[in-house]
Amino acid sequence: YATQVRLPGFRPGKAPPSMVRKKFPEAVRQEAIELVINEAFREAIEREGLKLAAQPHVHDLKAVPGQPLEFELHCEVRPELALEKLEGYTLTRTESAVTDELVDEQIERIREQKAEWSPVEDKAAEGDMVTVLLSTAEPDGSLPEGKEYRLVLGGGQAIAGIEELIMETAPGATAEKSVRWPDDFPDETQRGVSKLVRVVVKDVKRKALPALDDAFAREVGDFDTLDALRATVRTDMGEHARREAEADLRGQLVRQIVETNPFDVPKAWVMQLVEGYMQMYGVPDAQKQTFAKEFYPMAENQVRRDLIVDTIAERESIAASASEVDARVEEMAKARNADPGQVYAQLQKQGRLQEIEREITEEKVFTWLLEKNPVTTA
């Protein structure tokens, strides 16, 4: 401890140990206790051959000067899965056919994304985009200064009564009307309440979809004709359907394996996954408890799946080879039209090579399982 502290009159790290001991007795003692605990628990974990699921917790610490240090370690360990039954399951592959109607719907969604909004002088209609100043009467009946909103009418962004008032008002005009809040409004205290609403329509824009022709296909991407765009959309949708069918098959397998080989999962791992998703989605503190409660079953299922994959991979010596990882990186580089070496270096820097390795290992585990469990097609 003397090498870390600063004392007046001494260079950093040069204070006499006796003086440091006298000035910082509790800090020195606490550090000594932590060092002994860390050394002891590493030795104990190694001796017992435990695979920890989370950092151990120290309980009943007895640290009396001059006496042996005593404490309990409470450890949550990774479960040992027997997985005695991995064959004889009933699996059904359901793959959706890519029809002309589905392709047309996807093309229409692409058209919607490429639509242009142009100002109009008419009153707004359903599907139009409006910019409005909206104010709702206070409990005392006064109307505050309006707040600006941009809405697409008919999309459920405003309650029906307010949308009706907007569509009755010409651009540049102001209108007031008593509006009744719907009976299924999220805020129960506002259900069925009528309030005076003032709306100022600043502008109205109408959507114009591009013509469905070869020029549209060229605008979307590297397609010479509309038929080429349709063909690519059909291929992509077919690939998506195959991936969905494969994911459903894996889900069936995991559910049946868990039913016939029940096991507990480490709560620490589940909560770690929940917290990771909360961070990813930016869940506000006020909503974290609700999110955790709703997401916990999904996270628990994911942990069960991971444990099953890890156990089978370890037992059957299934693992992604270096050449398979390289091949996957080359595929990614080809899709990005980038140099494989640069993509590899980028993934390595981001720490994502491990993700690719695990992804390939998981694919190989499910391939191994599907070889043992025949699949029927619905």
Side-chain angles (χ1 to χ4, degrees):
Y1 196 79
T3 63
Q4 304 170 24
V5 298
R6 291 173 176 267
L7 283 177
F10 298 94
R11 286 182 297 164
K14 297 299 183 181
S18 58
M19 185 178 293
V20 172
R21 185 182 294 112
K22 184 177 180 181
K23 190 168 182 62
F24 305 101
E26 280 306 311
V28 171
R29 181 170 180 273
Q30 186 60 38
E31 186 160 332
I33 291 171
E34 290 175 6
L35 286 169
V36 174
I37 288 175
N38 288 335
E39 182 180 345
F41 99 68
R42 280 195 297 268
E43 180 184 326
I45 296 303
E46 184 177 345
R47 183 179 66 245
E48 299 296 331
L50 300 179
K51 295 179 180 179
L52 298 184
Q55 189 72 7
H57 295 283
V58 175
H59 292 261
D60 295 333
L61 176 65
K62 296 175 183 176
V64 180
Q67 297 295 320
L69 186 72
E70 295 182 12
F71 60 92
E72 289 183 1
L73 277 180
H74 290 201
C75 308
E76 187 171 17
V77 297
R78 172 179 168 173
E80 295 292 334
L81 276 59
L83 298 185
E84 296 175 355
K85 177 176 169 57
L86 292 173
E87 299 182 39
Y89 297 122
T90 303
L91 303 175
T92 305
R93 182 189 297 274
T94 306
E95 193 169 315
S96 303
V98 181
T99 63
D100 291 341
E101 290 76 13
L102 289 173
V103 173
D104 289 342
E105 289 175 9
Q106 183 61 25
I107 294 288
E108 282 302 307
R109 280 192 282 270
I110 298 173
R111 286 182 76 200
E112 290 281 348
Q113 294 169 5
K114 296 291 182 181
E116 294 184 355
W117 295 90
S118 303
V120 295
E121 297 300 322
D122 304 336
K123 290 181 180 180
E126 191 170 307
D128 289 347
M129 180 188 293
V130 296
T131 304
V132 297
L133 290 177
L134 190 64
S135 52
T136 304
E138 300 286 357
D140 62 2
S142 63
L143 278 167
E145 186 177 346
K147 292 183 180 179
E148 185 173 289
Y149 296 92
R150 179 167 292 179
L151 311 169
V152 175
L153 299 178
Q157 294 174 280
I159 65 176
I162 292 177
E163 287 199 351
E164 290 172 7
L165 179 58
I166 292 171
M167 289 188 280
E168 293 168 1
T169 310
T174 301
E176 293 181 6
K177 183 180 179 181
S178 178
V179 174
R180 185 180 184 276
W181 262 236
D183 294 331
D184 60 351
F185 193 71
D187 184 351
E188 296 182 7
T189 62
Q190 302 297 313
R191 293 176 181 176
V193 175
S194 294
K195 302 179 187 180
L196 182 64
V197 175
R198 175 188 294 155
V199 65
V200 179
V201 178
K202 298 182 72 173
D203 63 51
V204 178
K205 292 181 179 178
R206 196 152 290 159
K207 180 167 56 179
L209 295 173
L212 201 56
D213 52 20
D214 293 344
F216 167 71
R218 288 191 290 271
E219 183 185 354
V220 170
D222 190 18
F223 306 103
D224 293 331
T225 65
L226 182 60
D227 287 341
L229 172 61
R230 284 186 182 278
T232 299
V233 168
R234 184 181 294 276
T235 300
D236 289 347
M237 292 183 71
E239 183 59 32
H240 177 73
R242 282 187 288 275
R243 287 197 301 269
E244 288 287 306
E246 185 68 22
D248 180 63
L249 265 184
R250 295 182 181 186
Q252 293 177 46
L253 258 174
V254 170
R255 284 193 295 273
Q256 294 183 57
I257 289 173
V258 170
E259 286 172 4
T260 53
N261 303 273
F263 59 90
D264 295 326
V265 298
K267 293 182 180 179
W269 282 3
V270 180
M271 285 310 302
Q272 189 177 17
L273 191 59
V274 171
E275 288 164 5
Y277 275 102
M278 285 195 292
Q279 187 175 2
M280 182 190 303
Y281 294 134
V283 178
D285 290 342
Q287 299 176 16
K288 283 185 175 179
Q289 189 173 357
T290 302
F291 179 91
K293 184 177 180 181
E294 293 176 355
F295 189 76
Y296 191 92
M298 296 171 58
E300 190 175 39
N301 288 337
Q302 181 61 51
V303 172
R304 288 186 190 279
R305 174 195 176 105
D306 291 345
L307 281 168
I308 290 170
V309 169
D310 290 346
T311 299
I312 295 174
E314 185 176 340
R315 182 193 298 176
E316 303 299 328
S317 300
I318 301 173
S321 65
S323 60
E324 287 171 329
V325 173
D326 291 344
R328 184 63 57 89
V329 172
E330 286 183 14
E331 288 177 17
M332 295 172 67
K334 185 177 180 181
R336 301 178 189 178
N337 196 23
D339 177 69
Q342 291 180 345
V343 173
Y344 189 96
Q346 185 180 20
L347 292 170
Q348 191 173 39
K349 185 178 180 181
Q350 295 171 345
R352 291 185 56 203
L353 287 177
Q354 240 181 348
E355 292 178 20
I356 295 172
E357 185 178 344
R358 176 169 181 80
E359 182 181 293
I360 296 170
T361 299
E362 182 172 307
E363 290 171 3
K364 295 175 74 171
V365 166
F366 278 107
T367 298
W368 182 85
L369 283 168
L370 290 171
E371 288 173 353
K372 296 181 174 298
N373 295 279
V375 179
T376 58
T377 304

